């Protein structure tokens, strides 16, 4: 069990440290929104180039749960759909690959908005 947890913690923690350092060292120009876009785009680019796959094999959930993992999954889904359905698969493959994660985010976001009162 620990042989899976430790690498996931190290990989996921490293990704998070990179994002935090980007925000801390580039204040106020690099905002959390910039980190989101950079990590999703970076994950998609690294996934398309085949660089992110070894990181997923080593870190498992530590590499797939952060924002860069979302970009990786989008790119991987699009590439797999292109192989099966041709160029039109590029438009639907990424969404199909990430549909469960997107649906879970919407569902749990709604539950939290109903369950808790916002400050302010």
């Amino acid at each position: 069990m620990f042989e899976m947890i430790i690498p996931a913690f190290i990989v996921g923690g490293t990704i998070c440290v990179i994002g935090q350092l980007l925000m801390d060292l580039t204040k106020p120009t690099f905002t959390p929104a910039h980190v989101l876009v950079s990590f999703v785009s970076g994950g998609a680019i690294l996934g398309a180039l085949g660089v992110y796959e070894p990181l997923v094999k080593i870190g498992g959930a530590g590499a797939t749960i952060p924002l860069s993992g979302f970009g990786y999954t989008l790119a991987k889904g699009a590439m797999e759909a292109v192989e099966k359905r041709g160029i039109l698969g590029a438009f639907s493959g990424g969404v199909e690959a990430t549909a469960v994660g997107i649906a879970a985010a919407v569902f749990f976001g709604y539950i939290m908005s109903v369950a808790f009162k916002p400050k302010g």
Side-chain angles (χ1 to χ4, degrees), residues 51-111:
V51 176
Y52 206 80
E53 183 72 28
L55 197 60
V56 171
K57 288 181 180 176
I58 294 168
T64 57
I65 299 296
L67 291 169
S68 54
F70 180 72
Y72 160 75
T73 305
L74 281 171
K76 185 176 177 183
M79 290 185 301
E80 288 174 357
V82 166
E83 290 176 8
K84 292 179 185 174
R85 295 187 292 253
I87 193 68
L88 292 178
F91 299 105
S92 62
V95 177
E96 289 173 7
T98 58
V100 173
I102 294 169
V106 170
F107 174 75
F108 289 113
Y110 176 75
I111 295 298

